Coordinates of all heavy atoms in Angstrom, one line a residue:
M1 N 1.3 25.5 65.9 CA 1.7 24.8 67.1 C 0.7 23.7 67.3 O -0.5 23.8 67.2 CB 1.6 25.8 68.2 CG 2.0 25.3 69.6 SD 1.9 26.6 70.8 CE 3.3 26.2 71.7
S2 N 1.3 22.5 67.6 CA 0.4 21.3 67.7 C -0.1 21.2 69.1 O 0.4 21.8 70.1 CB 1.2 20.1 67.4 OG 2.3 19.9 68.3
R3 N -1.2 20.6 69.2 CA -1.9 20.4 70.5 C -1.2 19.3 71.3 O -0.8 18.3 70.7 CB -3.4 20.0 70.2 CG -4.2 19.7 71.4 CD -5.6 19.4 71.0 NE -6.4 19.3 72.2 CZ -6.9 18.1 72.6 NH1 -6.9 17.1 71.8 NH2 -7.6 18.0 73.7
P4 N -1.0 19.4 72.6 CA -0.4 18.4 73.4 C -1.2 17.1 73.4 O -2.4 17.2 73.3 CB -0.3 19.0 74.8 CG -0.8 20.3 74.7 CD -1.4 20.6 73.4
S5 N -0.5 16.0 73.5 CA -1.2 14.7 73.5 C -2.0 14.5 74.8 O -1.6 15.2 75.8 CB -0.2 13.6 73.3 OG 0.6 13.5 74.4
N6 N -2.9 13.6 74.8 CA -3.6 13.3 76.1 C -2.7 12.8 77.1 O -2.8 13.1 78.3 CB -4.7 12.3 75.8 CG -5.9 12.8 75.1 OD1 -6.1 14.1 74.9 ND2 -6.8 12.0 74.6
E7 N -1.7 12.1 76.7 CA -0.7 11.6 77.6 C 0.1 12.7 78.3 O 0.4 12.7 79.5 CB 0.3 10.6 77.0 CG -0.3 9.3 76.6 CD -1.1 9.3 75.3 OE1 -1.1 10.3 74.6 OE2 -1.8 8.3 75.0
Q8 N 0.5 13.7 77.5 CA 1.2 14.8 78.0 C 0.4 15.7 79.0 O 0.8 16.1 80.0 CB 1.7 15.7 76.9 CG 2.6 16.9 77.4 CD 3.9 16.4 78.0 OE1 4.6 15.6 77.5 NE2 4.2 16.8 79.2
I9 N -0.9 15.9 78.6 CA -1.8 16.6 79.5 C -2.0 15.9 80.8 O -1.9 16.5 81.9 CB -3.2 16.8 78.8 CG1 -3.0 17.7 77.6 CG2 -4.2 17.4 79.8 CD1 -4.2 17.8 76.7
A10 N -2.2 14.5 80.7 CA -2.4 13.7 82.0 C -1.1 13.8 82.8 O -1.2 13.9 84.0 CB -2.7 12.3 81.6
H11 N 0.1 13.7 82.2 CA 1.3 13.8 82.9 C 1.4 15.2 83.6 O 1.7 15.2 84.8 CB 2.5 13.6 82.0 CG 3.8 13.9 82.6 ND1 4.4 15.1 82.6 CD2 4.7 13.0 83.2 CE1 5.5 15.0 83.3 NE2 5.7 13.8 83.6
D12 N 1.2 16.2 82.9 CA 1.3 17.6 83.5 C 0.4 17.8 84.6 O 0.7 18.4 85.6 CB 1.1 18.6 82.4 CG 2.2 18.6 81.3 OD1 3.3 18.0 81.6 OD2 2.1 19.3 80.3
M13 N -0.9 17.3 84.5 CA -1.9 17.5 85.5 C -1.5 16.6 86.7 O -1.6 17.1 87.9 CB -3.2 17.2 85.0 CG -3.7 18.2 84.0 SD -5.4 17.9 83.3 CE -6.4 18.3 84.8
A14 N -1.1 15.4 86.5 CA -0.7 14.5 87.6 C 0.5 15.2 88.4 O 0.5 15.1 89.6 CB -0.3 13.2 87.1
M15 N 1.4 15.8 87.6 CA 2.6 16.4 88.3 C 2.1 17.6 89.1 O 2.6 17.8 90.2 CB 3.6 16.9 87.3 CG 4.4 15.8 86.7 SD 5.4 14.8 87.9 CE 6.5 16.1 88.5
A16 N 1.1 18.3 88.7 CA 0.6 19.5 89.5 C 0.0 18.9 90.8 O 0.2 19.6 91.8 CB -0.5 20.2 88.7
F17 N -0.7 17.8 90.7 CA -1.3 17.2 92.0 C -0.2 16.8 92.9 O -0.2 17.0 94.1 CB -2.2 16.0 91.6 CG -3.6 16.4 91.2 CD1 -3.9 16.4 89.9 CD2 -4.5 16.9 92.2 CE1 -5.2 16.7 89.5 CE2 -5.8 17.2 91.8 CZ -6.1 17.1 90.4
I18 N 0.9 16.2 92.3 CA 2.0 15.7 93.2 C 2.7 16.9 93.8 O 3.1 16.9 95.0 CB 3.0 14.9 92.3 CG1 2.4 13.6 91.9 CG2 4.3 14.6 93.1 CD1 1.9 12.7 93.1
Q19 N 2.9 18.0 93.0 CA 3.5 19.2 93.6 C 2.7 19.7 94.8 O 3.3 20.1 95.8 CB 3.7 20.2 92.5 CG 4.8 19.9 91.5 CD 4.9 20.8 90.3 OE1 3.9 21.5 90.1 NE2 6.0 20.7 89.6
A20 N 1.4 19.7 94.7 CA 0.5 20.1 95.8 C 0.7 19.2 97.0 O 0.8 19.7 98.1 CB -0.9 20.2 95.3
D21 N 0.8 17.9 96.7 CA 1.0 16.9 97.8 C 2.3 17.2 98.5 O 2.3 17.2 99.7 CB 1.0 15.5 97.2 CG -0.3 14.9 96.8 OD1 -1.4 15.6 97.1 OD2 -0.4 13.9 96.1
L22 N 3.3 17.4 97.7 CA 4.7 17.7 98.3 C 4.7 19.0 99.1 O 5.3 19.0 100.2 CB 5.7 17.7 97.3 CG 6.1 16.3 96.7 CD1 7.0 16.5 95.5 CD2 6.8 15.4 97.7
S23 N 4.0 20.0 98.6 CA 3.9 21.2 99.3 C 3.2 21.1 100.7 O 3.5 21.9 101.6 CB 3.2 22.3 98.5 OG 3.9 22.6 97.3
S24 N 2.3 20.2 100.8 CA 1.6 20.1 102.0 C 2.3 19.2 103.1 O 1.9 19.1 104.2 CB 0.2 19.5 101.8 OG 0.3 18.1 101.4
M25 N 3.4 18.6 102.7 CA 4.2 17.7 103.6 C 5.1 18.5 104.4 O 5.7 19.6 104.0 CB 5.0 16.7 102.8 CG 4.2 15.6 102.1 SD 5.4 14.5 101.3 CE 4.3 13.2 100.8
S26 N 5.4 18.0 105.6 CA 6.4 18.6 106.5 C 7.8 18.2 105.9 O 7.9 17.3 105.1 CB 6.3 18.2 107.9 OG 6.6 16.8 108.0
G27 N 8.8 18.8 106.4 CA 10.2 18.5 106.0 C 10.5 17.0 106.3 O 11.1 16.3 105.4
N28 N 10.1 16.5 107.5 CA 10.3 15.1 107.8 C 9.6 14.2 106.9 O 10.1 13.1 106.5 CB 10.0 14.8 109.3 CG 11.0 15.4 110.2 OD1 12.2 15.6 109.9 ND2 10.6 15.6 111.4
E29 N 8.3 14.5 106.6 CA 7.6 13.7 105.6 C 8.2 13.6 104.3 O 8.2 12.6 103.6 CB 6.1 14.2 105.5 CG 5.3 14.0 106.8 CD 3.9 14.7 106.7 OE1 3.9 15.8 106.1 OE2 3.0 14.2 107.2
R30 N 8.7 14.7 103.8 CA 9.4 14.7 102.5 C 10.7 13.8 102.5 O 10.9 13.1 101.6 CB 9.8 16.2 102.1 CG 8.7 17.0 101.6 CD 9.2 18.3 100.9 NE 8.1 19.2 101.0 CZ 8.1 20.3 101.8 NH1 9.1 20.5 102.6 NH2 7.1 21.1 101.9
L31 N 11.4 13.9 103.6 CA 12.6 13.1 103.8 C 12.2 11.6 103.8 O 12.9 10.8 103.2 CB 13.4 13.4 105.0 CG 14.1 14.8 105.0 CD1 14.7 15.1 106.4 CD2 15.2 14.8 103.9
E32 N 11.1 11.3 104.5 CA 10.7 9.9 104.5 C 10.3 9.4 103.2 O 10.5 8.3 102.8 CB 9.5 9.8 105.5 CG 9.9 9.9 107.0 CD 8.7 9.9 107.9 OE1 7.5 9.8 107.4 OE2 8.9 10.2 109.1
E33 N 9.6 10.3 102.4 CA 9.2 10.0 101.0 C 10.4 9.7 100.1 O 10.4 8.8 99.3 CB 8.3 11.0 100.5 CG 7.7 10.7 99.1 CD 6.7 9.4 99.2 OE1 6.1 9.2 100.3 OE2 6.7 8.7 98.2
I34 N 11.4 10.5 100.3 CA 12.7 10.4 99.5 C 13.3 9.0 99.8 O 13.7 8.3 98.9 CB 13.7 11.5 99.8 CG1 13.2 12.8 99.1 CG2 15.1 11.1 99.2 CD1 14.0 14.0 99.5
E35 N 13.3 8.6 101.1 CA 13.9 7.3 101.5 C 13.0 6.2 100.9 O 13.5 5.2 100.5 CB 13.9 7.2 103.0 CG 15.1 8.0 103.6 CD 16.4 7.6 103.1 OE1 16.8 6.4 102.9 OE2 17.2 8.6 102.7
A36 N 11.7 6.4 100.9 CA 10.8 5.4 100.3 C 11.1 5.2 98.8 O 11.1 4.1 98.3 CB 9.3 5.7 100.6
I37 N 11.3 6.3 98.1 CA 11.6 6.2 96.7 C 12.9 5.5 96.5 O 13.0 4.6 95.6 CB 11.6 7.7 96.1 CG1 10.2 8.3 96.1 CG2 12.2 7.6 94.7 CD1 10.2 9.7 95.8
K38 N 13.9 5.8 97.3 CA 15.2 5.1 97.2 C 15.0 3.6 97.4 O 15.5 2.7 96.7 CB 16.2 5.6 98.2 CG 16.7 7.0 97.8 CD 17.7 7.5 98.9 CE 18.1 8.9 98.7 NZ 18.9 9.4 99.8
D39 N 14.2 3.2 98.5 CA 13.9 1.8 98.8 C 13.2 1.1 97.6 O 13.4 -0.1 97.4 CB 13.1 1.7 100.0 CG 13.9 2.0 101.3 OD1 15.1 2.1 101.2 OD2 13.3 2.1 102.4
D40 N 12.3 1.8 96.9 CA 11.6 1.2 95.8 C 12.5 0.8 94.7 O 12.2 -0.1 93.9 CB 10.5 2.2 95.3 CG 9.3 2.4 96.2 OD1 9.2 1.6 97.2 OD2 8.5 3.2 95.9
A41 N 13.7 1.4 94.6 CA 14.6 1.0 93.6 C 15.3 -0.3 93.9 O 15.9 -0.9 93.0 CB 15.7 2.1 93.4
D42 N 15.2 -0.8 95.1 CA 15.7 -2.1 95.5 C 14.7 -3.1 95.4 O 13.7 -3.1 96.1 CB 16.2 -1.9 97.0 CG 16.9 -3.2 97.5 OD1 16.8 -4.3 96.8 OD2 17.5 -3.2 98.6
P43 N 14.8 -4.1 94.5 CA 13.8 -5.1 94.3 C 13.5 -6.0 95.5 O 12.5 -6.6 95.6 CB 14.3 -6.0 93.1 CG 15.6 -5.3 92.7 CD 16.0 -4.2 93.6
A44 N 14.5 -6.0 96.4 CA 14.3 -6.8 97.6 C 13.4 -6.1 98.7 O 13.0 -6.8 99.6 CB 15.7 -7.1 98.3
K45 N 13.1 -4.9 98.5 CA 12.3 -4.1 99.4 C 10.9 -3.9 98.8 O 10.7 -3.7 97.6 CB 12.9 -2.8 99.8 CG 14.2 -3.0 100.5 CD 14.8 -1.7 101.0 CE 16.1 -1.9 101.7 NZ 16.7 -0.6 102.2
P46 N 9.8 -3.8 99.7 CA 8.5 -3.6 99.2 C 8.3 -2.1 98.7 O 9.0 -1.2 99.1 CB 7.6 -3.9 100.4 CG 8.5 -3.6 101.6 CD 9.9 -4.0 101.1
N47 N 7.3 -2.0 97.9 CA 7.0 -0.6 97.4 C 6.3 0.2 98.5 O 5.3 -0.2 99.0 CB 6.0 -0.8 96.2 CG 5.7 0.6 95.6 OD1 6.2 1.6 96.0 ND2 4.8 0.6 94.6
T48 N 6.9 1.3 98.8 CA 6.4 2.1 99.9 C 6.2 3.6 99.6 O 5.7 4.3 100.4 CB 7.3 2.0 101.2 OG1 8.6 2.5 100.8 CG2 7.4 0.6 101.7
S49 N 6.5 4.0 98.4 CA 6.5 5.4 98.0 C 5.0 5.8 97.6 O 4.5 5.4 96.6 CB 7.4 5.7 96.8 OG 7.2 7.0 96.4
T50 N 4.5 6.6 98.5 CA 3.1 7.1 98.2 C 3.1 8.1 97.0 O 2.1 8.1 96.3 CB 2.4 7.7 99.4 OG1 3.2 8.7 99.9 CG2 2.2 6.6 100.5
I51 N 4.1 8.9 96.9 CA 4.2 9.9 95.8 C 4.1 9.2 94.5 O 3.4 9.6 93.6 CB 5.4 10.8 96.0 CG1 5.2 11.7 97.2 CG2 5.6 11.7 94.8 CD1 4.1 12.7 97.2
I52 N 5.0 8.2 94.3 CA 5.0 7.5 93.0 C 3.6 6.8 92.8 O 3.1 6.9 91.7 CB 6.1 6.5 92.9 CG1 7.5 7.3 92.9 CG2 6.0 5.6 91.7 CD1 8.7 6.4 93.0
D53 N 3.1 6.2 93.8 CA 1.8 5.5 93.6 C 0.7 6.5 93.3 O -0.1 6.3 92.4 CB 1.4 4.8 94.9 CG 2.3 3.6 95.2 OD1 2.9 3.1 94.2 OD2 2.3 3.1 96.3
N54 N 0.7 7.7 94.0 CA -0.2 8.7 93.7 C -0.1 9.3 92.3 O -1.1 9.5 91.6 CB -0.1 9.9 94.7 CG -0.7 9.5 96.1 OD1 -1.4 8.5 96.2 ND2 -0.4 10.3 97.1
F55 N 1.1 9.5 91.9 CA 1.3 10.0 90.5 C 0.7 9.0 89.5 O 0.0 9.4 88.6 CB 2.8 10.2 90.2 CG 3.0 10.5 88.7 CD1 2.9 11.8 88.3 CD2 3.3 9.5 87.8 CE1 3.0 12.1 86.9 CE2 3.4 9.8 86.4 CZ 3.3 11.1 86.0
N56 N 1.0 7.7 89.6 CA 0.5 6.7 88.7 C -1.0 6.7 88.7 O -1.7 6.6 87.7 CB 1.1 5.4 89.0 CG 2.5 5.3 88.7 OD1 3.0 5.9 87.7 ND2 3.3 4.5 89.4
R57 N -1.6 6.8 89.9 CA -3.1 6.8 90.1 C -3.7 8.1 89.4 O -4.6 8.0 88.6 CB -3.5 6.7 91.5 CG -5.0 6.5 91.7 CD -5.4 6.3 93.2 NE -5.5 7.6 93.8 CZ -4.7 8.0 94.8 NH1 -3.7 7.3 95.3 NH2 -4.8 9.2 95.3
Y58 N -3.1 9.3 89.7 CA -3.6 10.5 89.1 C -3.5 10.4 87.6 O -4.4 10.8 86.9 CB -2.8 11.7 89.6 CG -2.9 12.0 91.1 CD1 -1.8 12.6 91.8 CD2 -4.1 11.8 91.8 CE1 -1.9 12.9 93.1 CE2 -4.1 12.1 93.2 CZ -3.0 12.7 93.8 OH -3.1 13.0 95.1
Y59 N -2.4 10.0 87.1 CA -2.1 9.9 85.7 C -3.2 9.1 85.0 O -3.8 9.5 84.0 CB -0.7 9.4 85.4 CG -0.4 9.2 83.9 CD1 0.0 10.3 83.2 CD2 -0.6 8.0 83.3 CE1 0.2 10.2 81.8 CE2 -0.3 7.8 82.0 CZ 0.1 8.9 81.2 OH 0.4 8.8 79.9
Q60 N -3.4 7.9 85.5 CA -4.4 6.9 84.9 C -5.8 7.5 84.9 O -6.5 7.4 84.0 CB -4.3 5.6 85.6 CG -3.0 4.8 85.4 CD -2.7 4.6 83.9 OE1 -3.6 4.3 83.1 NE2 -1.4 4.7 83.5
I61 N -6.2 8.1 86.0 CA -7.5 8.6 86.2 C -7.7 9.8 85.2 O -8.7 9.9 84.5 CB -7.8 9.1 87.6 CG1 -7.9 7.9 88.6 CG2 -9.1 10.0 87.7 CD1 -7.9 8.3 90.0
I62 N -6.7 10.7 85.1 CA -6.9 11.8 84.2 C -6.8 11.4 82.8 O -7.6 11.8 81.9 CB -5.7 12.9 84.5 CG1 -5.9 13.5 85.9 CG2 -5.7 13.9 83.4 CD1 -4.7 14.2 86.4
L63 N -5.9 10.5 82.4 CA -5.8 10.0 81.1 C -7.2 9.3 80.6 O -7.7 9.5 79.5 CB -4.7 9.0 80.9 CG -4.4 8.5 79.5 CD1 -4.1 9.7 78.6 CD2 -3.2 7.5 79.5
K64 N -7.7 8.5 81.5 CA -9.0 7.8 81.2 C -10.1 8.9 80.9 O -10.9 8.7 80.0 CB -9.4 7.0 82.4 CG -10.7 6.2 82.2 CD -11.1 5.4 83.4 CE -12.4 4.8 83.2 NZ -12.9 4.2 84.4
D65 N -10.1 9.9 81.7 CA -11.1 11.0 81.5 C -10.9 11.8 80.2 O -11.9 12.3 79.7 CB -11.1 12.0 82.7 CG -11.8 11.3 83.9 OD1 -12.5 10.3 83.8 OD2 -11.6 11.9 85.0
L66 N -9.7 11.8 79.8 CA -9.4 12.6 78.5 C -9.7 11.8 77.3 O -9.9 12.3 76.2 CB -7.9 13.0 78.5 CG -7.5 14.0 79.5 CD1 -6.0 14.2 79.5 CD2 -8.1 15.4 79.2
R67 N -9.9 10.5 77.4 CA -10.1 9.6 76.2 C -11.6 9.5 75.9 O -12.5 9.8 76.4 CB -9.5 8.2 76.4 CG -8.0 8.3 76.4 CD -7.4 7.0 76.4 NE -6.0 7.1 76.2 CZ -5.1 6.2 76.5 NH1 -5.5 5.1 77.1 NH2 -3.8 6.4 76.3

């Protein structure tokens, strides 16, 4: 069995952090985040999704530490 790549490890760990973030949100906060993610798909609207931003930040930090 091959060892997972650093990218896969960073992805999995970042997802674990995001899952914890989502678990700590209220139902309304989750709905607001879903709307922000939908808005991010529209190039005319500014980036407002904290979950996506947090995932990218966690991923980059973890990947940097693994290298």
Side-chain angles (χ1 to χ4, degrees):
M1 182 179 218
S2 64
R3 181 175 181 246
S5 67
N6 286 347
E7 290 81 7
Q8 185 63 52
I9 294 168
H11 172 272
D12 293 348
M13 292 180 73
M15 285 302 296
F17 279 105
I18 292 303
Q19 288 171 344
D21 288 349
L22 288 170
S23 293
S24 69
M25 289 181 174
S26 70
N28 285 338
E29 289 172 323
R30 282 190 208 108
L31 291 174
E32 289 172 6
E33 189 61 32
I34 289 170
E35 286 304 314
I37 291 168
K38 288 178 187 175
D39 287 348
D40 286 352
D42 182 350
K45 295 184 179 180
N47 182 6
T48 58
S49 173
T50 56
I51 292 295
I52 292 173
D53 292 340
N54 286 347
F55 172 84
N56 289 329
R57 189 177 80 245
Y58 296 147
Y59 176 83
Q60 292 301 324
I61 290 168
I62 294 165
L63 185 60
K64 181 181 174 191
D65 286 347
L66 291 171
R67 289 187 173 158

